[in-house]
Amino acid sequence: MRKLNHISIYAFTVRAIHSQIAIIGGGTAGLNVSAQLVRDGHFIPQQIRIFEPYKMHAYQTGWTMVGGGMCKVQQTMKPMEKVLPKNVCLSDCPVVRIDPEQNTIITMDGQKYTYDQLVVASGVQRDYASIKGALQYLENPEAPVGSIYYYRYAQKIDKMIKEFEGGKLIFSEPLTKCEGIPSNMVFLTHERLSARGVKCDFHVYKANDTIFGIPKYSEILGELAHEKGLHCHLKKRLIEVQDHKVIFEDVETKQLFTSDYDFLHIVPPQKPAAFIADSGLGDSDGYVNIHPNTLQHVRYSNVWALGDCSSLPTSKTAAAVMAQTPVLIKNLIRTWRLKQSPLPEYQGYTSCPIYTSNKKVLLAEFKYNKQLDETFPVFQSSDSKAMYLLKKHFFPFAYWQLMVRGLWGGRDGIRLFKGI
Ligand SMILES: Cc1cc2nc3c(=O)[nH]c(=O)nc-3n(C[C@H](O)[C@H](O)[C@H](O)COP(=O)(O)OP(=O)(O)OC[C@H]3O[C@@H](n4cnc5c(N)ncnc54)[C@H](O)[C@@H]3O)c2cc1C
């Protein structure tokens, strides 16, 4: 038998890995920020670290078209390494904690990372589980329950529409940060079923107290719903899904009532990732608490946020991200490199293109305080074919061909960097 003469004890310490820029989330916002930082020559890719556990990047906007039978789910996903800027550092373990006092990030495997500047772009989580029974029926291929907010359930909705033979359709919406997205599914489903001559009874239940938060668009959508014979019920929140039966709660009186259904579309409640609040970066709802015009964190000057996870009081859309990105980058460079104050340049711009049929789109564009901020007013007095062409054909092209290369400035068009 071999004898051990001595035992060496090795002390393992986990060394923190440093990056100048840390970006949490490789979704639309994280990708857009990293692409523009590299494109504009502010950083070499190796100075940027992106934390993103998913292998595929999703163009979530396309899931409406998947549910509406207008594109395949494969057209809405690309491998992360194909879309992120070449040579950025990628950590594929989810972030579980940030210590903003020590400029430190900790991932689920216990690895520590440090940063000079942090951009939080972790989106929102879709909380189907908060509606009793929802996941069970969404996962059951035989149950007529779907949702465009997750690609598999969007594929299911498309199949449900194709196979639907008539009856009562229910579309539920919680209090949401973008009221335009759910309306897409109502109108697209109506269009497809009408074209097949299927007899339908459409009911939309919204927890919000208006059809759309901006009076002009609320009126247009209300008229269209009336013309198409859709019934709209406000201040009603879905709380339980059963077999062909749903339970709603009146948001004000808290009274419960039930309805039967033959087709159910669910918009899930959405919430920010828990690590934001756990790290002391959240507002009272857990969103990253940033200044609404500069995008800088209210307490930590080297922490920034944009997109769905941010506290910005505007509709959460990819279009909003396109308007937020240049402001965030400018202010990050100004404060860190030039030692100047951030500029309050973001005024809440957002945009919701809403399919009102499979030929027309209503393009809603607005900013803070419900003010209209329209780019093509002549086409935005109602739904239009021109906006349809923009949404169906041009926006996906701009996303995959221009945005991922840092070349897309949203409504400013193709970006030519002019300095900060
Ligand atoms: C069905 C649907 C239709 C839509 N239609 C439109 C539209 O027509 N027009 C429009 O402008 N917008 C639309 N949107 C909204 C748009 O997709 C979002 O606003 C946009 O994706 C937000 O970008 P984001 O980067 O903030 O979040 P996301 O794109 O969701 O990215 C967040 C990323 O963070 C990652 N992440 C989360 N937690 C962690 C963690 N702990 N550690 C590391 N990474 C983490 C996630 O994996 C994810 O990849 C639509 C959305 C949906 C769902």
Side-chain angles (χ1 to χ4, degrees), residues 218-291:
S218 189
E219 207 171 297
I220 298 172
L221 292 171
E223 274 168 25
L224 284 167
H226 182 71
E227 272 168 32
K228 293 172 193 277
L230 316 175
H231 307 282
C232 198
H233 312 265
L234 302 176
K235 301 188 206 168
K236 306 287 181 283
R237 188 171 74 89
L238 178 64
I239 57 168
E240 185 170 347
V241 181
Q242 298 177 358
D243 185 16
H244 287 82
K245 196 169 126 190
V246 271
I247 303 178
F248 284 96
E249 179 193 66
D250 186 291
V251 171
E252 274 173 3
T253 63
K254 305 290 172 208
Q255 260 185 335
L256 303 185
F257 64 95
T258 59
S259 172
D260 53 345
Y261 69 85
D262 301 297
F263 178 113
L264 173 64
H265 180 266
I266 300 177
V267 177
Q270 297 173 36
K271 60 178 189 184
F275 78 81
I276 296 169
D278 294 346
S279 307
L281 291 174
D283 66 3
S284 55
D285 294 324
Y287 291 90
V288 186
N289 199 356
I290 54 172
H291 186 284

Side-chain angles (χ1 to χ4, degrees), residues 39-52:
R39 160 74 52 181
D40 292 353
H42 292 305
F43 296 91
I44 56 165
Q46 290 83 351
Q47 292 168 324
I48 300 173
R49 177 169 296 276
I50 299 182
F51 296 83
E52 173 55 66

Side-chain angles (χ1 to χ4, degrees), residues 140-196:
N140 178 351
E142 305 305 320
V145 181
S147 172
I148 53 168
Y149 281 72
Y150 183 53
Y151 72 95
R152 280 201 291 113
Y153 306 151
Q155 286 176 302
K156 189 180 175 195
I157 273 281
D158 177 38
K159 186 165 176 282
M160 281 163 52
I161 299 170
K162 281 184 186 136
E163 294 172 356
F164 194 62
E165 292 303 334
K168 184 169 184 179
L169 298 96
I170 288 191
F171 296 80
S172 77
E173 291 174 33
L175 287 174
T176 156
K177 301 271 183 187
C178 181
E179 301 156 275
I181 298 167
S183 307
N184 283 292
M185 223 37 236
V186 181
F187 289 118
L188 285 175
T189 307
H190 180 269
E191 182 81 4
R192 292 172 76 187
L193 294 178
S194 305
R196 282 208 285 122

Side-chain angles (χ1 to χ4, degrees), residues 301-368:
S301 60
N302 64 341
V303 177
W304 309 83
L306 79 170
D308 291 5
C309 72
S310 72
S311 62
L312 298 172
T314 193
S315 264
K316 306 289 174 82
T317 64
V321 168
M322 302 304 135
Q324 293 157 11
T325 301
V327 178
L328 186 153
I329 291 179
K330 181 190 269 191
N331 284 335
L332 185 154
I333 301 295
R334 277 177 67 85
T335 53
W336 184 35
R337 293 231 174 114
L338 308 176
K339 311 292 175 216
Q340 295 172 349
S341 345
L343 296 173
E345 288 192 346
Y346 181 62
Q347 299 303 324
Y349 173 81
T350 190
S351 153
C352 284
I354 303 163
Y355 284 105
T356 53
S357 72
N358 60 9
K359 295 177 205 64
K360 285 187 174 180
V361 157
L362 172 66
L363 182 62
E365 282 180 300
F366 48 98
K367 54 185 176 180
Y368 289 147

Side-chain angles (χ1 to χ4, degrees), residues 23-31 51-54 56-64 80 91 93-96 121-126 148-150 178 181 184 270 273 275 306-310 316-321 350-354 391 395 399:
I23 301 177
I24 303 180
T28 299
L31 171 55
F51 296 83
E52 173 55 66
Y54 283 99
M56 301 295 279
H57 175 91
Y59 175 54
Q60 296 172 23
T61 299
W63 295 347
T64 303
M80 207 53 86
S91 295
C93 198
V95 169
V96 289
S122 50
V124 279
Q125 298 177 347
R126 314 264 145 78
I148 53 168
Y149 281 72
Y150 183 53
C178 181
I181 298 167
N184 283 292
Q270 297 173 36
F275 78 81
L306 79 170
D308 291 5
C309 72
S310 72
K316 306 289 174 82
T317 64
V321 168
T350 190
S351 153
C352 284
I354 303 163
K391 174 162 170 86
F395 288 164
Y399 194 92

